[in-house]
Amino acid sequence: MTLASISEKVNAGIPLSFDDGLTLFREPDLLKLGGLANQAREQLHCDRTTFNRNLHINPTNLCVAGCQLCSFSRRSPDQPGAYTLGLSQAWDKLKARLDSGDPVTEVHVVGGLNDSLPFDYYLELVAGLKRLQPTLHIKAFSAVEIVHFHHHFQREVGEVLRRLRAAGLDSLPGGGAEIFAPRVRQRICPNKCDAEEWLDVHRTAHQMGLRSNCTMLYGTIETIEERVEHLLRLRALQDETGGFQAFIPLAFHPDNNALSHLPAPSAVDDLRVCAVARLVLHNIPHIKAYWVSLGIKTAQTALWFGADDLDGTVQEEKIYHLAGSDAPQALAPMEIVRLIRAAGRTPVERDTLYRVVAEGEALQARTCASPTGGPR
Amino acid sequence: MSTGVAVTSQETDLFDLGRAAEAATRAATGGRGFFSCWRRLLPSGLWQGPASAASASVDEADLADLGGLAAAATAGANTFIATSLPMLTEATGRGLRGLLRLFLSAEEPVEQRERRLLALAQQVREGLVLDGVVPTPEDDCMGLATLMLVARCRLALVGGPHVLVDLDRVGPKLGQLALGFGADELCGPIVETRALRLGDNAGSRAITRAEAAQLLRGAGLRAFERMAGGSLEEFAP
């Protein structure tokens, strides 16, 4: 298997095999790999690069999972830094953003597996956010949290999703997939749901008409075979349901966690994962360069290595920042637009479902109209 | 708003440029890459960084507070990072290693940046003593533009100065990418052992000598350490 033969398959629209994936990960010429991924990216999206205006709310960091890779969670309320937001505190974060005049279109809610909170807390959290802005898209609760609700509240996954949806849930984020290989999960997140459960939550959500994203955490102890297998399992579910909108490669950050002896993945690895994902996941429309995880400069470079989306303005991301991310807490829309233009790409503001909110002159006007261009 | 950087596929092919620069690096260095541990003379007169660092650097911007180049040299500086050519020449005349920091601003039109670089290349051809250039982005949106400038430095300054990556300014991630775009030397907080990234040390940009060597090898270069006095030693894993 060579890059040339893989290129032929990509051009012919033939899905890449497990061996193709390994070849791509082993390709020593990063620029050749990037060029091929860029070709695939431009065939799908030309120069267009999307972002949205979103707000992150992490309602609690109390978590029973105790994952080795996590810098965010606390096991007990007595530990320094442990917190659980009251409902009003969580809603106030959105209210403050709306009151500032920023036209946020999405709230992204993920948190720890807190076994002291009732299910009503989550239902009311979502309902209250929706009440503040009924047109807002609520993307909330990773599959890991949904599985926790299923076990802890003894309700079927479908019922959990139906009740959350009735409260205002619009889609699911893609976190918690980590690496599907049991060998790795057993070592870095032994108490988290397994691959089958993670995939089943997304399958169920897709069957209900909810969209979701998917992720892969790389850079801990996984092999490239385990990375490729992970990607192929995501691709298989996408073939079945078509419900994934974006794949988000998540770089492991070693600060402040039990794996801090490991080096952070290199930028070459970051770009390689992005490029391979674009080529292997031909059926997932978008590859997101999550700037909080990659850092701004690497995320910008990734726009030439397969990625076509930069996530959003974010504001108040805690999980990666506690793990040592040196990216800012938020980017103003104006800064994201500038970042995209400086990469020679065309910025497009989207909503969570990748519908265009503004582009061209309308985007310019909307960006300039935001107070200080948005959050900082 | 940005004036734009010429990185679109119409204007310049990022991948072609990177490949050409990488080949030029191999030709210029014989497949070698370099790293050195730095300490920096602060405007206060104190040193930041380990006393054992091979490179004791001073920035031109800090000279006024330090009392001039002579005072910095007396304090032990052996590497001068200039932003102007007259000061560069004065520093190399005093026997310091002379590097030139090339700032990269989103506001500067690409053509102007290109003219600046070509003028420098001309002066190097005419005999300017310059041991290295240090492309330095002024803001975060310049990641890709930094790589492009690194590549253009390598191609414009053929057979001449080193192209350095200041890890303090660009971080190890972009620094590593720059090695694939024509840079041949890593400098900054490169230490023997680094503390785990916990507590106050979270977010540290320090890397170990072994990690620096690994970055160079990952870019296909043999890793050499620049020692005090300027000699080069191949780093044994």
Side-chain angles (χ1 to χ4, degrees):
Chain A
M1 207 62 58
T2 64
L3 202 59
S5 65
I6 292 174
S7 176
E8 282 172 19
K9 287 174 85 170
V10 170
N11 289 331
I14 300 168
L16 300 185
S17 65
F18 179 81
D19 287 341
D20 293 332
L22 294 184
T23 301
L24 292 174
F25 271 117
R26 288 176 180 146
E27 170 57 47
D29 189 336
L30 178 69
L31 293 175
K32 260 191 196 165
L33 175 64
L36 187 57
N38 188 52
Q39 197 182 317
R41 180 253 202 247
E42 291 188 349
Q43 275 168 9
L44 284 168
H45 306 292
C46 304
D47 265 341
R48 293 161 70 86
T49 299
T50 47
F51 71 97
N52 74 347
R53 293 179 193 239
N54 59 354
L55 167 70
H56 279 217
I57 297 177
N58 305 123
T60 178
N61 67 350
L62 281 171
C63 186
V64 295
C67 301
Q68 299 272 297
L69 57 92
C70 185
S71 313
F72 168 71
S73 69
R74 298 290 183 274
R75 291 300 286 265
S76 115
D78 304 328
Q79 277 186 272
Y83 75 89
T84 298
L85 298 178
L87 288 170
S88 300
Q89 288 175 300
W91 298 331
D92 283 350
K93 288 182 184 294
L94 174 61
K95 192 167 181 305
R97 182 82 177 268
L98 295 172
D99 288 348
S100 77
D102 186 52
V104 57
T105 60
E106 170 194 291
V107 178
H108 173 110
V109 183
V110 291
L113 310 183
N114 184 336
D115 59 4
S116 67
L117 291 171
F119 192 37
D120 282 347
Y121 171 90
Y122 300 99
L123 296 173
E124 195 46 36
L125 173 64
V126 170
L129 293 171
K130 203 72 168 183
R131 277 195 298 272
L132 283 170
Q133 176 70 278
T135 57
L136 194 72
H137 186 106
I138 299 181
K139 183 176 74 179
F141 309 122
S142 69
V144 174
E145 291 167 274
I146 300 293
V147 171
H148 172 72
F149 299 158
H150 155 62
H151 290 302
H152 191 61
F153 302 120
Q154 299 189 332
R155 296 169 194 274
E156 290 303 314
V157 166
E159 189 195 342
V160 168
L161 289 172
R162 266 191 299 279
R163 293 199 58 188
L164 287 168
R165 189 185 201 183
L169 178 78
D170 294 301
S171 67
L172 297 186
E178 320 309 5
I179 284 278
F180 288 146
R183 179 192 75 85
V184 179
R185 289 185 97 74
Q186 191 54 39
R187 290 184 60 186
I188 67 172
C189 54
N191 301 318
K192 223 168 225 179
C193 68
D194 63 21
E196 285 69 30
E197 288 176 305
W198 190 96
L199 289 164
D200 190 53
V201 167
H202 285 266
R203 180 181 291 108
T204 306
H206 296 170
Q207 285 165 349
M208 291 169 59
L210 292 168
R211 293 303 192 101
S212 70
N213 292 331
C214 53
T215 60
M216 176 175 79
L217 178 85
Y218 62 91
T220 61
I221 56 167
E222 81 283 359
T223 62
I224 59 170
E225 286 81 1
E226 286 161 342
R227 288 184 187 178
V228 176
E229 185 199 328
H230 183 101
L231 295 176
L232 292 180
R233 292 190 76 172
L234 294 174
R235 189 174 81 184
L237 180 58
Q238 180 73 344
D239 273 341
E240 186 185 326
T241 66
F244 287 131
Q245 301 191 108
F247 170 76
I248 308 150
L250 296 176
F252 167 65
H253 277 238
D255 297 42
N256 286 323
N257 59 47
L259 300 178
S260 60
H261 57 287
L262 297 177
S266 70
V268 168
D269 213 14
D270 293 336
L271 296 182
R272 188 179 294 281
V273 172
C274 208
V276 175
R278 178 62 288 160
L279 294 166
V280 171
L281 301 175
H282 67 280
N283 58 355
I284 296 183
H286 302 282
I287 305 292
K288 187 182 286 192
Y290 183 38
W291 58 264
V292 177
S293 153
L294 296 178
I296 291 175
K297 296 186 186 89
T298 309
Q300 186 191 37
T301 308
L303 299 180
W304 286 84
F305 286 78
D308 63 283
D309 187 273
L310 271 184
D311 196 75
T313 49
V314 175
Q315 196 167 47
E316 219 181 274
E317 197 281 342
K318 289 187 192 299
I319 297 169
Y320 261 100
H321 284 90
L322 285 166
S325 168
D326 60 2
Q329 280 283 348
L331 280 179
M334 195 177 282
E335 288 172 297
I336 296 186
V337 165
R338 186 165 153 255
L339 192 66
I340 294 169
R341 288 204 175 120
R345 297 298 199 190
T346 303
V348 176
E349 185 181 337
R350 60 164 174 87
D351 67 9
T352 311
L353 300 176
Y354 285 82
R355 295 172 299 206
V356 173
V357 172
E359 57 186 321
E361 289 178 10
L363 175 61
Q364 185 73 13
R366 182 175 159 86
T367 305
C368 293
S370 298
T372 68
R376 245 345 295 246
Chain B
M1 200 53 59
S2 165
T3 51
V5 176
V7 292
T8 63
S9 49
Q10 292 82 11
E11 291 168 76
T12 308
D13 186 306
L14 173 75
F15 303 104
D16 284 348
L17 185 65
R19 269 190 286 273
E22 197 180 14
T25 306
R26 284 177 203 291
T29 68
R32 297 182 305 166
F34 312 97
F35 71 89
S36 59
C37 179
W38 280 29
R39 62 179 180 143
R40 184 179 163 213
L41 186 55
L42 301 173
S44 62
L46 298 174
W47 286 98
Q48 180 186 59
S52 59
S55 296
S57 72
V58 60
D59 269 75
E60 182 175 335
D62 297 333
L63 281 188
D65 289 324
L66 290 165
L69 191 55
T74 304
N78 61 17
T79 303
F80 183 65
I81 308 169
T83 48
S84 71
L85 295 184
M87 287 307 299
L88 173 75
T89 303
E90 188 185 334
T92 54
R94 286 178 181 274
L96 275 70
R97 184 184 188 207
L99 306 174
L100 186 64
R101 197 180 286 288
L102 298 177
F103 282 109
L104 188 59
S105 155
E107 307 310 319
E108 183 183 29
V110 176
E111 298 74 21
Q112 190 175 315
R113 192 181 301 151
E114 192 74 10
R115 276 198 301 275
R116 212 156 41 100
L117 185 57
L118 292 176
L120 177 64
Q122 179 63 28
Q123 284 173 296
V124 170
R125 278 195 296 275
E126 289 169 0
L128 176 73
V129 179
L130 172 62
D131 200 55
V133 291
V134 191
T136 304
E138 285 189 324
D139 75 36
D140 262 349
C141 87
M142 304 303 289
L144 208 50
T146 303
L147 297 180
M148 302 291 277
L149 180 62
V150 164
R152 290 198 165 106
C153 284
R154 170 59 63 201
L155 294 171
L157 305 170
V158 177
H162 294 280
V163 180
L164 284 86
V165 175
D166 182 347
L167 295 173
D168 243 349
R169 301 288 186 111
V170 304
K173 286 214 168 200
L174 194 70
Q176 187 199 22
L177 290 181
L179 292 173
F181 279 80
D184 66 304
E185 183 164 343
L186 299 172
C187 61
I190 299 171
V191 293
E192 184 60 38
T193 54
R194 62 168 172 77
L196 292 179
R197 296 188 172 94
L198 299 170
D200 290 344
N201 198 47
S204 161
R205 284 185 161 178
I207 60 173
T208 64
R209 295 164 66 232
E211 286 168 339
Q214 199 173 358
L215 292 182
L216 289 164
R217 292 197 192 101
L221 300 167
R222 284 166 59 205
F224 284 78
E225 182 170 8
R226 188 179 292 283
M227 314 303 282
S231 63
L232 298 168
E233 283 185 14
E234 184 152 18
F235 184 80

